[in-house]
Amino acid sequence: MIVCVAVVGHQNNPLYIQSFTEADDALKLHHIVHCSLDVVDERVNNPKKSGPTLNETFLGLLYPTENYKVYGYLTNTKVKFILVTTDLDVRDADVRNFFRRFHAAYVDAVSNPFHVPGKKITSRTFAERVSTIVKSFGSSSAG
Amino acid sequence: MANFLAQFHTIKNSSDHLVIAVEDVSDLWPIVKSEFEGRLPFKRASLNNKTRNSVFVENLTAEFILTTDSRLRSRFPLEQSLFWFREPYATVVLVTCEDLDEFRTILKPRLKLIVQNDEREWFIVFVSKAHPNNDQATKLAKKVYAKLEVEFSSKKRERCCKLDIHSPEANFWEDLESKIMESIRNTLDRRVQFYEDEIRKLSEQRLMPVWNFCNFFILKESLAFMFEMAHLFEDALREYDELELCYLETVNMTGKLRDFGGLDRGDDQAALLNPGSKPLTQIVQDDSFREFEFRQYLFSCQSKLLFKLKRAFEVASRGYSFIISFSKALALRENILPFCMREVWVITACLALINATASQYKDGPPDIEKEFYRLQGDLYSLCRVKFMRLAYLVGFGTEIERSPVNSALLSMLPWPKPAVWPLVPPDASSEVLVKEKMILQETPRVKHLGIQRKPLPLEPSLLLREANRRRASLSAGNMVEMFEGRPIFNDGSGSDASTKISPSQKVRASSMSRTNSSPGSFESSIDRPMRLAEIYVAAEHALQRTISNTDLWKSFSSLEEYEKKYLELTKGAADNYHHSWWKRHGVVLDGEIAAVCFKHGNFDLAAKSYEKVCALYAGEGWQDLLAEVLPSLAECQKILNDQAGYLSSCVRLLSLDKGLFLTKEREAFQSEVLRLAHSEMKDPVPLDVSSLITFSGNPGPPLELCDGDPGTLSVTVWSGFPDDITLDSLSLTLMATYNGDEGVKALRCPAAIVLKPGRNIITLPLPPQKPGSYVLGVLTGQIGHLRFRSHSFSKGGPADSDDFMIYEKPTRPILKVFKPRALVDLTAAISSALLINEPQWVGIIVRPINYSLKGAILHVDTGPGLKIEESHVIEMQSYVDVSQSAADMAKSDAAQKEGSLAVDKNFEQLRLHDGRIEFPNWANNVTSILWIPIRAISDGLARGSSSVSPLRQSIVDGMRTIALKLVFGVSHNQIFERHCHFPSFFQTLAVHFTDPFQVSTRIADKCNDGTLLLQVILQSEVKATLTINDAWLDLQDGFVHTTKGDGRPTSGFFPLVISPHSRAAILFSICLEMSNAEDEAKALQPESILNINYGISGDRTTGAHPPVAVESPGPKGARQDLIFRSSLVLQRPVLDPCLAVGFLPLPSGGLRVGQLVSMEWRIERLKDFEENEISKHNNEVLYEVGANSDNWMLAGRKRGHVSLSTKQGSRIVISILCMPLVAGYVRPPQLGLPDVDETNISCNPAGPHLVCVLPPALSSSFCIPA
């Protein structure tokens, strides 16, 4: 289950963060997303390590922990997408697919002329679309 | 073969180096032993690795063992092949012989016997005992050695070397070493080949049921061990890696259910770095090994080799993933393992790995180093999580900070899943009481500053429920239901703390519900749900059974010990993360340390750490997380009495997203700020409120001011305070956009200001600024003792709280001050001269240039010779410049269409007060003309001129100046005195005054009767029509009018109208007065005066006009009679010429250009010159011929003396050759007599004024045909 998706701006500022847990514990997911920026930074700043994937937007698994997984995605404008999932058995292709769709949604949201770049994304349409993508993530991985 | 495991194990433990056998044929070993062993270990050896590539190894240890040694003798052949790795890798045969016969008969057969075994790698060392001085013996030894070489060495391989005991050859030892090495290399290659073949055979059978992992393992590890002995660690490591892979593939494949292991006492302590912790024989299980021990064993072997390879980093990185994967394996068997075995194992494994790798790690490249520290941090962090989980289980959960990091780590970590939740031991009731008391005593943790927050969960689900479920599932039914209906339990994030208020009640309640939901199922009192305290106690006891490490157990024995360990782990993680790339992880953990420091009253440290955390979150705009930490920081600062810090924290709290705190909380923050600002502080505290108070200019174009003008600036200020806030003072700086170094001046708000929440508009007085464009700078102000400043600039909207990059603002100019320019233009509206000595209007056109002249004052200061007719009013009217209006035709057309005529005439009469004129309002923006009555005063009388000597009047004579100073501007009254650059306009206007006429006279005719016709020519000097009403001439002495009377012309001539700048003439007939001697007595009137009574009709806009009357003149009729007087000097005619100069006629042929002509003058003395004896040379006359050199060329003396007799009638002719140069009527040369007064010269006959010069005769030479 995806518990959280986030968009983080190129200055590592949160632009959009949505958790999908029922409990009132979004803050811990904020923490997870924030800390995962360490890994993104590390990969971006160490070209040696990220050599083969330098040109790829999908950063892959950032955080192998015991209980949840964090995936990252870096757009050309250095906007990061972070996905936190509690599924421990996730196929890479699913995540890639998810991020691709999420990226499309993001691009649509920020193309809104009333959106100020670098500001939080407040679009309700975007939120709806994201939740649709998140919901379909489970089904696509199942199917 | 598995039976050999034990033996294999002992052999492996006993031998860890290569063996070199020594076949001591001639009992030489005791002699050479020390020297041989002195070569060990081999400094540098070249061996082949598994892929047959040459590898250099260093410090290769080996041992020389005699073949007679028991260790080499008592072995069975099977053992030998299986444990081949321990067999000698080389055989050194030591021989000596001093006799050829002996060699042939005894030694040779024996050696042949020894070396026939093909398995061995051997070589012979011939030891020569011959003394070097003993030639005989030496020679013999050489011979024997030669024989030996012939027998045993081959071309392919040298198998002999010779050692002279008394004088060993220099390269003997090198030779020996290389021979040993060659042997070892060959042996090693052969054995590797053997093992590989064996392993391959076994691998092929892997999928068959007979396959036995133990056999495979023994072979594989033997090979690995052999590599290790040969210091080929890389190869050894590879063998182990392959072994691990193979194990993991096969362990669960066969379908046999094997024991996992991990149930022995002490198994909870990870043995992942200690290969010898448990003998392999103990963990063998059927044909394989128990997973728990064996995987650790493999990892420990790998790590040992990695440490030998100095790759501590790899140990850490492999270790971390090993721990994670092993932990998963443990999780699968949690139900068979002791309670919390998994957590304990992870803790011990992490700690062991951390200690080992940290002590072994040497400096690596920076990248690796960072990564290494990151891994260390990860290990610490993992250890910390498990530790906290255990601590929670034994009841220290209340001590764990419910921070986001802990929540993230713990709430997603499932509870341990033992088959049965441990039960409270029967004798533990007292402990239960203690725990219960602890639960009851625990004060609910209150957030600072009265912030109400739901605590973050630390548990994946309720422990109470989980534990009881695990207990219940043991016996019967599903007890889950008993909690299902209860909302408090459905709330997944609810903490156990919420249930602890009255555990007994809860239990009762739950048992009631249980009875309701599934009646009769659980009546047994043994299965009664455990209370929280009981769960804690039970967990504690179970843990005590699990944990074999006393040190670790100590950490759970008391709160202090727990905290000590917790701090150690947290600090370890934080420090290591700080050394790595993962700064955020480190800083966040610093916050956790801070929480502990805070609890122990170490506020200083806590504040420092909290500040770091806050800076991290604030720097990247993570407001939600910041809102969690900032109150703690504020509390620390409050306790530390760090007022500035506390205030800034409060302000930061206020400036966070409004949704993050309740209004009530925000109001509390504000009241804190106000309380501090107004009370306690001794010194003013500076504070940056950029995030809270922002400001911007009003939308629209910037305020535009002219240089030197003051103004008022209106600024929008956004207040982020939840309530109204009173600012004691407020000021704002303006910054010039182009020169930043210019001293910025603050604009002060005159009074205290109350800022409403949200948008406020504030107007500030703006003193004159230098030219340029300005942007808003800094807003500063004061609340009580609090001196705040704000840099932030909002773009016309409310402060965007997520806009933390606010400082880099795109600045829009708010004020433009123009460069000094002409704001007004004052010109005289006069195109021609005015009448002198008459009151005249002088017009001054005041043209404002896009600038209002509101309240302008004109200072008028007249120059000398000019005065303002103060008795008269000044007129002001709007003015339309004809040339301009022509240019603006299109514009005015448009204006006319709109219905408002551009020109609306204004007229006003003004008065002069102390030389100042105040402008009326209508003149603010329109060009106006000011008519000032002035009078130029000239004492002198106009002088006429005669035609003979025209009088040139200097234009300066009629010039008068008016100094004008216009003071205007927005608030000149206040500022004019101080600022010299204040808009004021100084100008000096020059006005030209003139007499109406210029008079010149000439004698028109001289009648025979002595009457002279005096022509008085009047040149009008003004651009106005003059009407002469009367004219008369007051003659000077010596002249009289011919008619008796005043000599007025006939009145019928008048009025005589003279158009502007035209001429008129009046003839007077006068005659010379016969002077009497008596008349001499009366005063002589030297000049004649011409009096003209005239009127003028002119427009004041063009020039001279009728004088300003005191009363406004009627439109017509009332004739203004002005008198113009001009003096004329009449000269009496020449009466006694003594010389006559006559111009002799020119030749009749006329003059022609280029033709010489002789000009002749005749000078005749008319009277005797006797009485005139002044001149000494009376008989000489000075003459001078003057001519225009452009027209004439003169030949001969132009100036000279000619002698002329003093007798009357004497005459002389002066002739000069001239050549005219130009054709036309030209003035001929003139003869002058400089010595003689003009009055004494009569011109008779008078010379012509002009002569006609013809063009030159045609020259035929030009007409010659070519």
Side-chain angles (χ1 to χ4, degrees):
Chain A
M1 183 182 95
I2 291 179
V3 290
C4 182
V5 288
V7 180
V8 181
H10 76 287
Q11 287 175 310
N12 290 334
N13 48 323
L15 296 180
Y16 177 82
I17 186 159
Q18 180 63 53
S19 52
F20 298 94
T21 54
E22 286 173 15
D24 188 13
D25 56 357
L27 212 52
K28 76 178 183 198
L29 298 168
H30 278 248
H31 164 79
I32 291 171
V33 173
H34 179 241
C35 277
S36 67
L37 295 177
D38 267 340
V39 192
V40 178
D41 277 358
E42 187 185 2
R43 297 221 183 151
V44 172
N45 294 335
N46 282 342
K48 234 188 266 174
K49 270 193 196 167
S50 55
T53 59
L54 191 65
N55 290 325
E56 204 177 359
T57 49
F58 180 57
L59 296 174
L61 182 62
L62 301 179
Y63 244 90
T65 67
E66 280 185 293
N67 315 304
Y68 57 88
K69 285 186 167 185
V70 184
Y71 287 90
Y73 185 92
L74 182 71
T75 70
N76 289 331
T77 51
K78 303 280 175 274
V79 172
K80 293 127 199 154
F81 302 149
I82 309 284
L83 164 71
V84 185
T85 172
T86 48
D87 284 334
L88 296 181
D89 190 23
V90 180
R91 283 190 296 149
D92 241 24
D94 283 341
V95 184
R96 274 174 200 273
N97 187 34
F98 169 84
F99 275 131
R100 219 191 53 238
R101 296 175 65 192
F102 189 78
H103 194 172
Y106 168 76
V107 168
D108 287 352
V110 296
S111 303
N112 180 346
F114 296 104
H115 171 78
V116 182
K119 291 286 164 61
K120 283 189 173 163
I121 301 170
T122 49
S123 158
R124 208 174 301 145
T125 320
F126 178 69
E128 277 164 19
R129 208 163 144 192
V130 166
S131 69
T132 315
I133 297 172
V134 166
K135 267 179 215 148
S136 69
F137 177 72
S139 67
S140 75
S141 72
Chain B
M1 210 152 72
N3 307 332
F4 294 107
L5 201 59
Q7 203 185 347
F8 173 64
H9 209 246
T10 44
I11 290 170
K12 214 172 70 117
N13 286 342
S14 62
S15 61
D16 61 344
H17 47 71
L18 303 176
V19 171
I20 300 162
V22 179
E23 188 77 52
D24 192 6
V25 179
S26 315
D27 287 335
L28 290 164
W29 182 241
I31 306 170
V32 297
K33 183 185 177 184
S34 59
E35 282 182 281
F36 267 61
E37 284 179 347
R39 309 305 301 176
L40 297 175
F42 299 115
K43 299 279 176 300
R44 190 169 164 79
S46 164
L47 299 176
N48 289 334
N49 66 5
K50 198 177 170 186
T51 50
R52 304 291 187 273
N53 290 325
S54 170
V55 175
F56 284 101
V57 295
E58 285 174 350
N59 289 327
L60 185 64
T61 49
E63 189 183 5
F64 291 104
I65 298 178
L66 283 175
T67 45
T68 50
D69 195 282
S70 62
R71 281 176 288 173
L72 294 188
R73 290 181 66 187
S74 60
R75 280 176 194 166
F76 301 107
L78 182 62
E79 282 178 34
Q80 281 186 350
S81 71
L82 189 57
F83 305 122
W84 214 11
F85 58 86
R86 65 168 177 172
E87 296 302 311
Y89 285 78
T91 303
V92 182
V93 184
L94 282 173
V95 293
T96 186
C97 185
E98 288 164 354
D99 187 6
L100 275 174
D101 288 340
E102 187 192 334
F103 172 74
R104 204 176 298 132
T105 53
I106 303 166
L107 194 59
K108 193 175 129 191
R110 191 166 168 199
L111 287 178
K112 286 282 181 193
L113 195 68
I114 291 168
V115 302
Q116 72 181 356
N117 185 352
D118 220 22
E119 297 282 296
R120 291 198 209 161
E121 281 289 325
W122 55 271
F123 68 95
I124 297 166
V125 177
F126 179 80
V127 181
S128 164
K129 290 188 200 168
H131 198 273
N133 295 341
N134 188 346
D135 281 354
Q136 185 77 29
T138 316
K139 271 185 188 165
L140 211 57
K142 274 188 180 164
K143 272 186 184 167
V144 174
Y145 180 64
K147 277 278 177 202
L148 192 70
E149 277 193 313
V150 169
E151 287 295 330
F152 294 99
S153 286
S154 65
K155 268 189 186 171
K156 277 185 192 163
R157 190 163 173 192
E158 287 273 333
R159 285 191 187 262
C160 302
C161 56
K162 179 165 153 253
L163 170 65
D164 279 323
I165 288 185
H166 295 293
S167 57
E169 283 174 44
N171 59 352
F172 168 75
W173 294 111
E174 279 172 30
D175 194 23
L176 179 78
E177 250 176 54
S178 78
K179 286 209 162 50
I180 292 175
M181 229 29 83
E182 194 180 6
S183 303
I184 290 176
R185 190 161 56 234
N186 290 339
T187 314
L188 196 64
D189 289 351
R190 204 179 312 141
R191 290 182 188 171
V192 168
Q193 188 64 46
F194 164 76
Y195 278 117
E196 278 192 328
D197 291 345
E198 290 295 310
I199 289 167
R200 197 180 311 116
K201 268 186 244 162
L202 222 49
S203 300
E204 281 162 8
Q205 306 170 358
R206 209 166 79 182
L207 298 174
M208 296 180 189
V210 292
W211 196 69
N212 185 322
F213 180 77
C214 284
N215 295 347
F216 181 75
F217 165 74
I218 290 172
L219 280 176
K220 200 80 176 162
E221 190 171 37
S222 300
L223 180 58
F225 189 65
M226 196 167 70
F227 281 131
E228 195 183 333
M229 281 202 300
H231 285 213
L232 295 168
F233 301 124
E234 291 274 8
D235 297 275
L237 182 64
R238 197 170 301 122
E239 294 307 310
Y240 277 114
D241 288 349
E242 285 171 17
L243 195 54
E244 186 184 9
L245 265 180
C246 182
Y247 178 74
L248 290 178
E249 274 174 25
T250 57
V251 64
N252 293 319
M253 197 182 65
T254 47
K256 286 182 199 166
L257 202 65
R258 291 201 187 85
D259 283 351
F260 178 72
L263 296 170
D264 298 336
R265 177 78 186 157
D267 275 352
D268 63 298
Q269 297 185 53
L272 80 171
L273 292 172
N274 182 10
S277 68
K278 225 182 244 190
L280 286 174
T281 44
Q282 280 184 26
I283 62 169
V284 75
Q285 171 94 27
D286 298 337
D287 52 358
S288 187
F289 299 97
R290 289 208 301 256
E291 191 178 345
F292 180 81
E293 286 90 352
F294 188 67
R295 281 183 69 184
Q296 294 193 62
Y297 171 77
L298 283 179
F299 182 81
S300 63
C301 292
Q302 291 165 346
S303 57
K304 194 176 80 183
L305 289 168
L306 285 171
F307 280 138
K308 281 187 177 167
L309 286 165
K310 298 189 173 34
R311 277 147 60 173
F313 163 73
E314 214 175 321
V315 177
S317 83
R318 282 171 172 232
Y320 184 72
S321 24
F322 175 73
I323 290 171
I324 294 284
S325 74
F326 201 69
S327 169
K328 273 180 196 156
L330 288 177
L332 293 174
R333 278 94 179 175
E334 243 185 320
N335 50 357
I336 55 161
L337 291 172
F339 182 66
C340 288
M341 173 76 180
R342 178 187 176 201
E343 281 78 7
V344 177
W345 185 87
V346 170
I347 292 172
T348 52
C350 287
L351 289 176
L353 204 55
I354 289 164
N355 290 335
T357 49
S359 62
Q360 294 269 353
Y361 183 76
K362 299 276 177 346
D363 303 334
D367 282 4
I368 296 292
E369 183 153 310
K370 293 221 171 215
E371 186 71 10
F372 175 73
Y373 283 121
R374 199 265 298 161
L375 277 167
Q376 296 272 306
D378 275 351
L379 286 169
Y380 266 117
S381 185
L382 182 61
C383 183
R384 176 175 172 272
V385 178
K386 302 290 178 189
F387 183 72
M388 283 197 292
R389 167 50 48 85
L390 294 184
Y392 190 94
L393 285 176
V394 301
F396 296 152
T398 51
E399 298 300 318
I400 299 175
E401 194 75 13
R402 289 178 178 271
S403 59
V405 51
N406 287 346
S407 176
L409 291 170
L410 287 173
S411 72
M412 287 159 101
L413 182 69
W415 291 117
K417 296 184 182 69
V420 186
W421 200 270
L423 196 60
V424 191
D427 54 346
S429 54
S430 63
E431 291 172 47
V432 172
L433 276 178
V434 171
K435 292 275 180 198
E436 212 144 87
K437 205 172 144 197
M438 198 170 87
I439 293 169
L440 285 173
Q441 277 175 349
E442 196 246 342
T443 49
R445 195 163 297 181
V446 183
K447 280 252 169 199
H448 311 297
L449 294 166
I451 295 167
Q452 308 260 321
R453 273 296 161 85
K454 200 169 184 185
L456 287 170
L458 288 182
E459 44 290 280
S461 58
L462 276 182
L463 177 59
L464 190 68
R465 178 176 155 190
E466 177 73 14
N468 280 313
R469 192 172 66 82
R470 293 230 166 245
R471 280 222 60 74
S473 60
L474 172 74
S475 52
N478 189 356
M479 233 170 65
V480 181
E481 287 161 16
M482 80 182 197
F483 302 106
E484 290 299 277
R486 299 170 51 77
I488 188 158
F489 291 110
N490 275 343
D491 184 5
S493 69
S495 69
D496 278 344
S498 64
T499 65
K500 76 195 168 229
I501 303 145
S502 59
S504 52
Q505 266 183 6
K506 190 139 299 153
V507 170
R508 226 179 300 132
S510 49
S511 51
M512 265 166 65
S513 70
R514 178 189 62 191
T515 343
N516 291 341
S517 62
S518 52
S521 298
F522 308 100
E523 291 311 307
S524 150
S525 62
I526 302 161
D527 277 342
R528 147 188 96 77
M530 293 198 292
R531 284 172 293 152
L532 200 57
E534 285 172 329
I535 291 170
Y536 290 158
V537 171
E540 194 174 351
H541 279 270
L543 260 186
Q544 193 171 10
R545 280 195 299 278
T546 308
I547 297 176
S548 61
N549 186 336
T550 47
D551 280 347
L552 183 58
W553 175 246
K554 214 174 89 185
S555 302
F556 296 109
S557 63
S558 71
L559 209 54
E560 290 73 35
E561 290 295 331
Y562 156 72
E563 236 159 40
K564 212 171 99 188
K565 189 81 184 168
Y566 171 76
L567 265 188
E568 178 198 324
L569 295 177
T570 314
K571 272 183 185 156
D575 289 348
N576 280 300
Y577 279 137
H578 279 308
H579 286 113
S580 75
W581 291 107
W582 291 17
K583 306 289 179 207
R584 292 182 184 85
H585 283 76
V587 174
V588 168
L589 286 173
D590 279 345
E592 299 306 303
I593 298 169
V596 178
C597 293
F598 184 85
K599 202 158 70 180
H600 292 295
N602 198 346
F603 300 112
D604 214 19
L605 271 182
K608 270 182 201 155
S609 295
Y610 275 136
E611 257 165 30
K612 272 202 273 179
V613 183
C614 289
L616 173 74
Y617 288 145
E620 295 180 339
W622 292 78
Q623 299 217 344
D624 297 58
L625 292 168
L626 183 59
E628 188 72 14
V629 193
L630 203 50
S632 308
L633 174 63
E635 188 65 21
C636 281
Q637 288 164 330
K638 187 181 181 184
I639 294 168
L640 288 170
N641 209 22
D642 173 11
Q643 287 158 342
Y646 182 52
L647 273 173
S648 114
S649 291
C650 286
V651 166
R652 284 165 81 182
L653 278 170
L654 279 170
S655 52
L656 289 180
D657 250 357
K658 288 184 180 58
L660 289 173
F661 293 105
L662 304 175
T663 317
K664 206 173 68 184
E665 290 162 358
R666 288 168 53 80
E667 280 166 1
F669 303 150
Q670 183 180 345
S671 67
E672 277 295 284
V673 173
L674 289 179
R675 180 180 64 77
L676 270 175
H678 286 296
S679 65
E680 294 165 18
M681 292 186 297
K682 288 173 204 124
D683 307 316
V685 171
L687 185 63
D688 191 328
V689 295
S690 301
S691 47
L692 198 54
I693 296 180
T694 60
F695 53 93
S696 67
N698 286 338
L703 178 65
E704 292 182 345
L705 288 181
C706 291
D707 179 46
D709 270 2
T712 51
L713 190 65
S714 172
V715 175
T716 311
V717 177
W718 296 88
S719 163
F721 285 101
D723 269 344
D724 287 3
I725 187 155
T726 309
L727 311 180
D728 298 343
S729 69
L730 183 75
S731 53
L732 186 67
T733 57
L734 289 180
M735 287 192 303
T737 42
Y738 293 112
N739 41 349
D741 54 349
E742 196 118 317
V744 282
K745 257 183 283 172
L747 312 177
R748 289 202 142 270
C749 202
I753 282 181
V754 177
L755 286 186
K756 297 191 302 285
R759 184 187 163 118
N760 298 272
I761 291 184
I762 285 172
T763 46
L764 297 160
L766 182 67
Q769 303 289 324
K770 287 189 183 161
S773 72
Y774 291 85
V775 294
L776 291 174
V778 183
L779 182 84
T780 53
Q782 200 146 358
I783 308 171
H785 292 290
L786 175 67
R787 210 184 276 150
F788 66 84
R789 54 194 281 122
S790 168
H791 306 272
S792 82
F793 180 86
S794 59
K795 296 182 201 85
D800 277 315
S801 41
D802 63 319
D803 194 359
F804 58 95
M805 313 79 102
I806 204 154
Y807 294 118
E808 40 182 280
K809 50 201 173 189
T811 43
R812 193 172 62 89
I814 185 161
L815 170 68
K816 269 187 185 158
V817 179
F818 294 113
K819 290 224 172 65
R821 62 168 175 99
L823 301 173
V824 67
D825 189 23
L826 294 185
T827 44
I830 311 154
S831 53
S832 61
L834 299 177
L835 286 179
I836 203 162
N837 277 334
E838 298 287 350
Q840 291 272 284
W841 293 109
V842 63
I844 296 167
I845 300 169
V846 181
R847 187 162 60 87
I849 305 169
N850 294 330
Y851 193 84
S852 168
L853 296 180
K854 191 168 159 54
I857 292 172
L858 183 68
H859 296 249
V860 184
D861 187 15
T862 51
L866 190 70
K867 79 184 215 334
I868 296 172
E869 295 282 312
E870 298 212 17
S871 57
H872 209 83
V873 291
I874 293 165
E875 291 175 4
M876 189 165 188
Q877 67 187 59
S878 52
Y879 172 78
V880 181
D881 191 350
V882 180
S883 62
Q884 258 190 357
S885 59
D888 296 347
M889 193 64 83
K891 232 193 262 178
S892 60
D893 276 356
Q896 273 174 334
K897 273 176 203 159
E898 283 167 23
S900 69
L901 203 61
V903 186
D904 51 334
K905 284 275 181 190
N906 286 293
F907 182 82
E908 189 159 344
Q909 292 192 330
L910 303 168
R911 284 270 168 198
L912 191 68
H913 300 288
D914 304 331
R916 292 155 38 120
I917 305 163
E918 284 178 25
F919 277 28
N921 276 341
W922 59 260
N924 285 349
N925 291 309
V926 295
T927 307
S928 52
I929 186 161
L930 197 66
W931 292 109
I932 303 171
I934 49 167
R935 183 202 290 270
I937 297 156
S938 172
D939 296 332
L941 202 58
R943 293 189 73 83
S945 61
S946 70
S947 58
V948 183
S949 57
L951 183 74
R952 286 270 163 260
Q953 222 172 0
S954 167
I955 200 154
V956 181
D957 294 345
M959 204 63 100
R960 299 290 186 273
T961 56
I962 311 173
L964 297 170
K965 184 167 81 175
L966 185 66
V967 177
F968 57 102
V970 178
S971 61
H972 52 89
N973 291 328
Q974 302 162 10
I975 305 173
F976 170 65
E977 294 302 322
R978 288 209 308 270
H979 294 269
C980 56
H981 64 266
F982 178 76
S984 60
F985 194 90
F986 299 87
Q987 187 166 353
T988 305
L989 293 180
V991 186
H992 191 215
F993 292 89
T994 184
D995 290 318
F997 304 106
Q998 190 188 346
V999 179
S1000 57
T1001 55
R1002 81 183 180 99
I1003 299 295
D1005 199 9
K1006 200 172 171 184
C1007 304
N1008 290 337
D1009 59 350
T1011 308
L1012 297 168
L1013 279 183
L1014 181 67
Q1015 187 182 28
V1016 177
I1017 303 160
L1018 300 173
Q1019 166 82 46
S1020 167
E1021 289 285 290
V1022 294
K1023 252 192 180 169
T1025 307
L1026 295 168
T1027 310
I1028 299 175
N1029 298 320
D1030 196 4
W1032 66 97
L1033 194 61
D1034 295 333
L1035 287 169
Q1036 68 196 81
D1037 294 336
F1039 292 91
V1040 288
H1041 293 285
T1042 45
T1043 52
K1044 299 292 170 201
D1046 52 3
R1048 283 172 205 262
T1050 317
S1051 61
F1053 291 143
F1054 300 117
L1056 175 64
V1057 177
I1058 305 174
S1059 304
H1061 291 298
S1062 56
R1063 280 201 286 190
I1066 303 169
L1067 282 175
F1068 291 94
S1069 96
I1070 54 172
C1071 60
L1072 293 174
E1073 188 185 21
M1074 297 301 124
S1075 62
N1076 302 325
E1078 305 92 81
D1079 295 341
E1080 306 269 322
K1082 64 177 182 187
L1084 282 174
Q1085 192 187 359
E1087 292 174 326
S1088 310
I1089 303 290
L1090 175 69
N1091 300 290
I1092 296 174
N1093 179 341
Y1094 69 100
I1096 184 165
S1097 69
D1099 188 356
R1100 61 183 179 183
T1101 54
T1102 49
H1105 52 272
V1108 183
V1110 178
E1111 294 92 30
S1112 61
K1116 288 265 168 160
R1119 207 181 66 176
Q1120 280 181 309
D1121 284 344
L1122 306 174
I1123 300 294
F1124 169 69
R1125 289 153 60 83
S1126 177
S1127 68
L1128 301 170
V1129 177
L1130 300 178
Q1131 286 182 336
R1132 289 165 61 92
V1134 176
L1135 295 179
D1136 46 350
C1138 55
L1139 286 172
V1141 177
F1143 187 80
L1144 295 186
L1146 287 167
S1148 58
L1151 299 178
R1152 203 170 270 280
V1153 171
Q1155 213 169 52
L1156 282 176
V1157 64
S1158 173
M1159 296 270 180
E1160 287 176 330
W1161 291 271
R1162 186 190 61 206
I1163 302 173
E1164 185 177 358
R1165 200 175 284 279
L1166 295 180
K1167 41 164 106 160
D1168 285 338
F1169 225 68
E1170 290 124 12
E1171 64 258 54
N1172 199 351
E1173 18 343 288
I1174 309 145
S1175 152
K1176 286 186 177 164
H1177 311 285
N1178 283 334
N1179 53 347
E1180 283 192 345
V1181 175
L1182 180 67
Y1183 74 92
E1184 190 176 35
V1185 178
N1188 188 342
S1189 62
D1190 287 342
N1191 298 341
W1192 297 95
M1193 197 172 80
L1194 302 187
R1197 290 184 64 184
K1198 291 182 214 168
R1199 183 185 169 99
H1201 293 274
V1202 285
S1203 70
L1204 184 68
S1205 162
T1206 52
K1207 293 269 174 31
Q1208 182 183 10
S1210 59
R1211 50 177 69 181
I1212 190 168
V1213 172
I1214 294 172
S1215 70
I1216 269 200
L1217 272 179
C1218 304
M1219 187 167 70
L1221 297 177
V1222 293
Y1225 287 91
V1226 296
R1227 198 173 156 83
Q1230 304 281 328
L1231 181 77
L1233 303 171
D1235 275 355
V1236 185
D1237 191 47
E1238 239 177 294
T1239 53
N1240 294 330
I1241 298 171
S1242 113
C1243 297
N1244 191 23
H1249 283 289
L1250 297 170
V1251 291
C1252 178
V1253 179
L1254 298 174
L1258 287 176
S1259 170
S1260 58
S1261 62
F1262 293 117
C1263 302
I1264 293 167

